[in-house]
Amino acid sequence: MFNRRDFLNKTFLASLAAGVGLSACESKPKQDEANNNAPGVISPNGKKPEPIVIATWKHPDATQTALEVILNRGSALDGIEAGVRMVEADPRDQSVGYGGLPDRDGIVTLDACVMDDKGNAGSVTFLQHIMHPVSVARKVMEDTPHVMLSGEGAYRFAISKGFKKENLLTEAASTKWKEWLKEGTYKPVGGHEQHDTIGMLAIDGEGNLSGACSTSGMAFKIHGRVGDSPIIGAGLYVDNEVGAATATGLGELVMKTLGAFLIVEFMRQGKTPEAACREAALRIAEKYGKSNEEMQVGYIALSKSGEYGTYSLHPGFNYSVSRKDSHEVLDAPYLAGNSH
Ligand code: GLY
């Protein structure tokens, strides 16, 4: 499996401040013309797009699984739930679900949310002992009048819905935590370089969009910390008339700019998914770049027409795309030190 620490630990080639400098000089991306050569345009002539699944990071097995569910007449959300569950159950992935790195007290706490084509949303935050927070979030959406359940309440709700109590702290994650404890600097951003998120977006055979994201959050975070991933509009947003977006990286930056909602609103204004992701990345760079030069955020977006796009603050962010007969992992464009 791809070691995403490589990405987040990377020595950056150029500072984010450089990225801001460039952005200040260059013209804003043009309002989108019809761009039939843009990556991910499936049906430029207004036909219903072919099903497509896109996810943060190198998860082609998960996007393929999601696509198979959709091609077998599942909804976009059915497919996404199946794909995200694969990653949540994989102990090798140390930033999502089982095997996720714990907080400073050695406790694994999970955040997740889902949003469907009807604008329904469900979310769980600070959830412990439950391997599949994405499925609990879906239950919150479908079986309660609420959007978000947190902590002990989310856990009790999960148990009431038949989820099993499980130990999510693997030996490997515990060993890393104990290593970290030897020198653990007890400041709020410590360990942020070791975390990220599975965010997944899809269009199904009916042309409907859904999305989900799931994470164990920032490694060695302060107990109780919740990131962007379960926050509707920050880590995920879906508007079936327009498109969908999701985020990975330092959640605090995504939350302070409401990244996913911002991207969908940029798409509503006519920007391509890539231009919209880029604008949202620029927003972070311009407002918070100087004090967060080494922090990474990556965005992915999918439009109603099946066009997708991505952007990140720094190099190293990649994403997976599955369509009928093709499953790819691609590098995202980025701001820092980049003049385009
Ligand atoms: N993006 C995940 C988090 O910050 O928790």
Side-chain angles (χ1 to χ4, degrees):
M1 171 170 280
F2 176 75
N3 181 355
R4 286 171 292 164
R5 291 181 63 181
D6 292 348
F7 155 64
L8 288 159
N9 283 333
K10 214 169 175 71
T11 302
F12 293 110
L13 301 175
S15 72
L16 194 54
V20 175
L22 284 167
S23 70
C25 301
E26 63 197 353
S27 58
K28 299 261 185 217
K30 291 179 199 137
Q31 291 288 312
D32 303 327
E33 301 110 34
N35 180 3
N36 294 346
N37 296 321
V41 172
I42 309 301
S43 58
N45 300 324
K47 292 184 200 150
K48 198 184 285 183
E50 293 291 325
I52 178 170
V53 182
I54 175 169
T56 54
W57 303 108
K58 188 173 181 180
H59 292 302
D61 294 349
T63 52
Q64 181 170 356
T65 295
L67 187 76
E68 279 163 10
V69 170
I70 290 168
L71 292 176
N72 283 316
R73 298 187 174 276
S75 68
L77 190 59
D78 292 336
I80 286 170
E81 183 181 4
V84 170
R85 283 175 64 97
M86 275 184 79
V87 183
E88 288 177 337
D90 186 344
R92 295 168 302 174
D93 193 309
Q94 295 198 317
S95 59
V96 178
Y98 177 55
L101 292 173
D103 65 19
R104 290 170 182 192
D105 300 341
I107 300 167
V108 179
T109 72
L110 305 177
D111 300 331
C113 74
V114 299
M115 196 161 180
D116 73 9
D117 56 290
K118 296 174 187 66
N120 298 312
S123 160
V124 288
T125 76
F126 193 53
L127 176 64
Q128 297 175 41
H129 308 303
I130 303 291
M131 190 175 300
H132 292 300
V134 70
S135 296
V136 185
R138 184 169 181 176
K139 288 280 183 206
V140 172
M141 179 177 84
E142 292 178 344
D143 294 0
T144 81
H146 308 307
V147 169
M148 182 182 287
L149 293 180
S150 187
E152 178 66 17
Y155 169 75
R156 280 199 235 147
F157 171 76
I159 295 295
S160 78
K161 291 289 168 186
F163 291 84
K164 272 195 315 187
K165 179 175 184 179
E166 302 190 69
N167 172 29
L168 303 181
L169 185 65
T170 58
E171 275 301 312
S174 177
T175 301
K176 282 198 178 154
W177 172 60
K178 285 175 186 154
E179 274 301 307
W180 175 83
L181 275 182
K182 287 181 193 160
E183 296 197 7
T185 46
Y186 230 73
K187 55 181 186 178
V189 295
H192 62 79
E193 71 277 8
Q194 295 177 333
H195 82 99
D196 55 84
T197 305
I198 172 86
M200 192 179 282
L201 310 171
I203 293 180
D204 61 26
E206 299 301 316
N208 286 323
L209 282 156
S210 286
C213 58
S214 180
T215 187
S216 53
M218 181 186 289
F220 318 131
K221 60 198 173 187
I222 292 176
H223 187 62
R225 182 262 187 191
V226 170
D228 61 309
S229 300
I231 309 297
I232 301 298
L236 175 73
Y237 198 72
V238 177
D239 183 327
N240 199 45
E241 302 299 309
V242 178
T246 187
T248 182
L250 186 66
E252 281 72 5
L253 294 175
V254 178
M255 292 160 91
K256 286 189 278 194
T257 52
L258 217 53
F261 182 73
L262 189 62
I263 290 167
V264 172
E265 291 308 300
F266 282 137
M267 289 197 282
R268 193 189 308 280
Q269 291 166 13
K271 293 194 186 304
T272 62
E274 181 175 309
C277 289
R278 185 177 184 283
E279 281 293 306
L282 274 175
R283 182 70 59 90
I284 292 174
E286 286 165 357
K287 286 183 82 75
Y288 302 107
K290 288 203 169 74
S291 51
N292 291 279
E293 288 179 1
E294 295 189 352
M295 306 303 170
Q296 176 67 301
V297 168
Y299 287 121
I300 63 172
L302 181 60
S303 77
K304 180 72 178 169
S305 66
E307 180 182 359
Y308 63 83
T310 66
Y311 230 88
S312 58
L313 297 179
H314 293 290
F317 173 47
N318 57 18
Y319 60 101
S320 306
V321 185
S322 283
R323 287 170 284 191
K324 197 164 173 258
D325 306 325
S326 94
H327 307 285
E328 297 174 281
V329 178
L330 301 162
D331 291 326
Y334 54 90
L335 290 181
N338 208 336
S339 59
H340 66 88

